[in-house]
């Protein structure tokens, strides 16, 4: 890709210093970086909130599968001469609907759900590879699809991402409480009048949108870095739903921005940095939680 | 009302009834006439005639797979009766679910579920309502209501004796503690009818007695309590009515008339003895389920 080589030469000139103000100016001097920071914030907002529910519901595998579904979407869109974004969204949302439709109802449905998800994932990866093989020329952007790239983000992309995020978060705000109920306690929620199946389908579609957004940065293979890792970190730190949700969004934002800045200064893939920052946070949180747990136990025992 | 157990557990003392709006004692809560249940293409039971009135404490008894859980789901309108008519709180099942507290059978949360017990209890009040509440915002703008709800929540959690661990993640507390919080969740909406599916299941003997006494007190407050039980003995002293479902048949009535050596032996097709102790309590000996319970 042309832009990649160009940005590489630019970034090579950028050196990190102790002067934060200068660093920030350096990072934000190019429009593509500004776009990436705004789009990253939008994706973080969405992934932090939707990812928190994914962790609560134990749907991380579904998230990963929807990312795999986004891969043939993006490669197929490029093959047909469309914007990759169209493919990401179209396929991720269709994949969500497919999973919801194929998932069995009734007792034991939860366990068999993961088998459905696995089947859809395998088919999606095969389809993506098929598109890649059809179109030899785009192999150079294959790594961008799989591991992420932030250089291609245009102002139009930012607009699309922001509007989608606004819609998705609006819907999430409407279904938030019944979704929480249906996630932790589906049978009582059903008895209380929550349309559990409809809410679950809607959630999977929102998850598909979040996956499509995150794929822009992290690539389809590293989506969980943004969608699940900050949420898991937040959940390790607090069991309060409202605090956890806000913390998850905040951590996703820090992860994305730190990852983007690190990628800029090191000229290394953004997916690597986003994942590393997120994972470091997760490790710290788990360590803290375990130390705190041991300490509490000792106090109780005393 | 049947005589309550003389000894009272600490659970019961910790409370202060949250003044629900129970129906006048004696009004019918559940009326079943010729009800039959079918699940998975199989007839579970038929010919159930029962009238449960407000404030009664009722046990649904029978072996595994008899259709006890299915009967509770029928009362909630989640499973249609195959025959007969069923009225719950004066309407057809499913219409008055906001007045019903429900505890499904054997739910447990593993340690990965990171949500506090009190959050789970709170969902019992408003979990079905759309929207996403932010406690911080509500505390600022709707302080009086927020604090009133909070007090009610604390009262109910205290009533089931779960104050000490309500703030911990639900997956971190023991099965019996989870059960108490789930009972609080069913209670917190101030139901007129409480449907509990094997609530004593994961409890040890003292806790079984504590929860049974608590349920008896709730029914004394005018709430109809229908409980599915494995072992009838811990609750036998409190019961106003029993519904036995065995071998495709269902039998309802006061414990003295239903729980007899002849009835049970006929229903189970096995010798079962009902003994009356010197204090006047009934004890069932040789009940297949009870035997399996005492084995572990
Ligand atoms: N939705 C359903 N689909 C198919 N079979 C069901 C369904 N619900 C219950 N059953 C069957 O009905 C029978 C009675 O179940 P249940 O009411 O749970 O019994 P109990 O609670 O008395 O042990 C069981 O054999 C169960 O497998
Ligand atoms: Mg059952």
């Amino acid at each position: 890709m042309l832009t990649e080589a160009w940005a590489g030469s630019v970034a090579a000139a950028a050196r990190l210093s102790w002067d934060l103000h200068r660093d920030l100016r350096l990072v934000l001097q190019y429009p593509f970086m500004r776009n990436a920071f705004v789009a990253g914030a939008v994706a973080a907002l969405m992934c932090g909130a939707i990812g928190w529910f994914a962790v609560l519901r134990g749907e991380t595998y579904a998230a990963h599968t929807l990312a795999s579904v986004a891969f043939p979407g993006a490669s197929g869109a490029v093959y047909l001469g469309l914007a990759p974004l169209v493919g990401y969204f179209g396929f991720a949302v269709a994949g969500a609907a497919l999973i919801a439709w194929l998932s069995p109802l009734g007792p034991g449905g939860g366990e068999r759900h993961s088998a459905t998800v696995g089947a859809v994932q395998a088919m999606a990866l095969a389809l993506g590879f098929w598109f890649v093989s059809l179109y030899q020329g785009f192999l150079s952007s294959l790594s961008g699809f799989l591991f992420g790239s932030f250089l291609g983000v245009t102002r139009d992309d930012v607009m699309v991402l922001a509007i989608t995020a606004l819609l998705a978060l609006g819907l999430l705000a409407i279904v938030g409480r019944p979704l929480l109920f249906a996630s932790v306690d589906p049978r009582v929620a059903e008895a209380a009048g929550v349309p559990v199946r409809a809410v679950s389908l809607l959630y999977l579609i929102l998850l598909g949108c979040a996956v499509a957004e995150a794929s822009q940065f992290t690539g389809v293979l590293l989506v969980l870095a943004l969608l699940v890792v900050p949420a898991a970190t937040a959940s390790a730190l607090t069991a309060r739903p409202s605090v956890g949700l806000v913390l998850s969004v905040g951590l996703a934002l820090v992860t994305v921005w730190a990852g983007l800045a690190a990628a800029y200064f090191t000229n290394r893939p953004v997916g690597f940095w986003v994942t590393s920052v997120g994972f470091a946070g997760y490790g710290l949180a788990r360590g803290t939680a375990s130390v705190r747990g041991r300490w509490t136990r000792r106090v109780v025992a005393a | 009302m049947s005589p309550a157990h003389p000894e009272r557990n600490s659970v019961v003392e910790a409370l202060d009834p949250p003044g629900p709006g129970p129906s006048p004692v004696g009004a019918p809560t559940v009326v079943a006439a010729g009800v039959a249940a079918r699940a998975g293409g199989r007839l579970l039971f038929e010919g159930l005639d029962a009238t449960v009135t407000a404030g009664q404490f009722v046990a649904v008894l029978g072996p595994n797979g008899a259709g006890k859980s299915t009967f509770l789901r029928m009362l909630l309108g989640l499973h249609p009766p195959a025959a007969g008519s069923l009225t719950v709180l004066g309407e057809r099942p499913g219409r008055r679910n906001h007045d019903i507290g429900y505890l499904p059978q054997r739910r447990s949360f593993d340690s990965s579920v990171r949500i506090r017990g009190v959050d789970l209890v709170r969902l019992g009040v408003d979990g079905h309502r759309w929207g996403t509440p932010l406690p911080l915002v509500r505390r600022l703008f709707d302080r009086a209501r927020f604090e009133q709800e909070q007090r009610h929540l604390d009262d109910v959690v205290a009533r089931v004796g779960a104050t000490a661990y309500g703030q911990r993640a639900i997956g971190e507390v023991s099965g019996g503690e989870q059960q108490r919080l789930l009972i609080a969740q069913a209670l917190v909406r101030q139901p007129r009818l409480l449907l509990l599916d094997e609530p004593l299941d994961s409890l040890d003997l003292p806790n079984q007695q504590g929860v049974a006494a608590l349920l008896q007190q709730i029914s004394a407050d005018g709430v109809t309590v229908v409980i599915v039980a494995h072992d009838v003995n811990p609750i036998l002293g409190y019961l106003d009515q029993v519904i036995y479902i065995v071998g495709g048949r269902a039998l309802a009535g006061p414990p003295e008339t239903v729980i007899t050596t002849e009835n049970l032996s006929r229903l189970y097709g096995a010798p079962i003895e009902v003994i009356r102790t010197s204090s006047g309590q009934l004890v069932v000996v040789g009940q297949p389920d009870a035997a399996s319970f005492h084995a572990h």
Side-chain angles (χ1 to χ4, degrees), chain A residues 30-196:
Chain A
Y30 299 105
F32 74 86
M33 278 312 283
R34 289 201 291 272
N35 287 344
F37 266 75
V38 175
V42 170
L45 196 66
M46 191 155 161
C47 289
I50 292 172
W52 184 82
F53 282 99
V55 169
L56 183 75
R57 295 169 63 86
E59 296 249 50
T60 49
Y61 188 42
H64 188 224
T65 294
L66 291 177
S68 310
V69 173
F71 168 52
S75 52
V78 169
Y79 177 67
L80 295 172
L82 300 168
L85 210 58
V86 176
Y88 277 123
F89 277 113
F91 267 60
V93 170
L98 186 68
I99 290 174
W101 182 57
L102 288 178
S103 285
L105 276 167
E111 291 76 50
R112 282 178 285 153
H113 176 71
S114 72
T116 308
V117 174
V120 171
Q121 177 171 44
M123 190 62 233
L125 281 175
L127 203 61
F129 201 58
W130 170 253
F131 281 125
V132 170
S133 75
L134 279 181
Y135 185 57
Q136 311 293 338
F138 91 170
L139 266 173
S140 62
S141 54
L142 179 62
S143 87
F145 285 137
L146 294 180
F147 297 107
S149 146
F150 58 93
L151 299 164
V153 181
T154 64
R155 279 194 77 87
D156 288 348
D157 290 342
V158 173
M159 278 309 286
V160 172
L161 293 178
I163 290 170
T164 316
L166 211 66
L167 283 175
L169 289 175
L171 277 173
L172 187 69
I174 293 172
V175 300
R177 181 165 40 195
L179 176 62
L180 181 71
F181 202 3
S183 301
V184 293
D185 209 351
R187 283 189 289 169
V188 178
E190 183 191 22
V194 175
V196 173

Side-chain angles (χ1 to χ4, degrees), chain B residues 61-296:
Chain B
L61 307 169
N64 285 329
K68 305 181 297 293
S69 300
T70 305
F71 178 59
L72 290 200
R73 287 176 55 81
M74 283 162 79
L75 294 178
L76 287 161
L78 298 173
H79 192 103
S85 84
L86 196 56
T87 311
V88 178
L89 294 168
E91 292 191 53
R92 67 179 163 79
R95 297 294 287 270
R96 301 291 300 274
N97 281 10
H98 53 272
D99 284 328
I100 302 177
Y102 175 47
L103 177 94
Q105 187 172 3
R106 216 166 294 129
R107 273 181 304 166
S108 64
F109 301 87
D110 67 66
S111 60
S112 67
V113 180
R114 296 285 298 165
I115 172 172
R116 292 174 306 170
V118 287
D119 296 317
L120 207 68
V121 175
R122 187 192 295 271
L123 284 172
V125 188
D126 59 7
H128 60 286
R129 263 187 248 144
W130 302 108
T132 301
L134 288 174
L136 220 87
V137 177
R138 288 208 50 213
R139 195 171 297 175
L140 278 179
F141 292 100
D142 198 6
R143 195 178 186 109
R145 260 222 19 237
F146 180 82
E147 281 177 354
Q148 188 201 337
E149 284 178 19
Q150 195 64 43
R151 260 196 309 278
H152 172 59
L153 201 70
D154 292 344
D155 285 349
V156 175
V157 170
R159 186 169 194 189
V160 299
T163 307
Y165 45 84
Q167 299 291 326
R168 286 171 57 195
I170 186 81
E172 283 174 7
V173 303
S174 77
E177 291 169 339
Q178 288 184 8
Q179 194 73 310
R180 282 175 185 259
L181 284 162
L182 292 170
I183 292 172
Q185 185 200 45
L187 273 180
V188 75
R189 55 202 306 171
Q190 307 191 334
R192 293 173 55 192
L193 172 60
L194 203 52
L195 304 176
L196 309 169
D197 202 340
E198 304 201 9
L200 307 179
D201 207 43
S202 49
L203 304 177
D204 53 24
L205 216 52
N207 271 310
Q208 281 191 7
Q209 284 162 353
V211 170
L214 169 69
L215 295 176
Q216 200 277 332
Q217 235 232 351
I218 289 162
S219 83
D221 289 343
V223 179
T224 310
V225 178
V226 177
I227 140 174
V228 173
H230 217 63
D231 180 6
V232 63
N233 288 320
I235 46 168
L236 204 47
Y238 302 131
L239 293 177
D240 297 304
Q241 202 173 161
V242 294
I243 297 174
Y244 248 109
I245 307 176
V246 185
R249 283 173 301 173
L251 195 59
E256 307 84 60
T257 51
V258 174
I259 303 186
T260 60
T261 301
E262 302 79 63
N263 264 342
L264 294 195
S265 301
R266 185 168 52 84
L267 281 169
Y268 279 97
I272 289 170
E273 207 172 336
V274 179
I275 301 169
R276 193 172 284 274
T277 63
S278 53
S279 61
Q281 281 176 26
L282 294 174
V283 178
V284 178
V285 183
Q287 183 191 10
D289 285 342
S292 76
F293 172 79
H294 289 304
H296 52 79

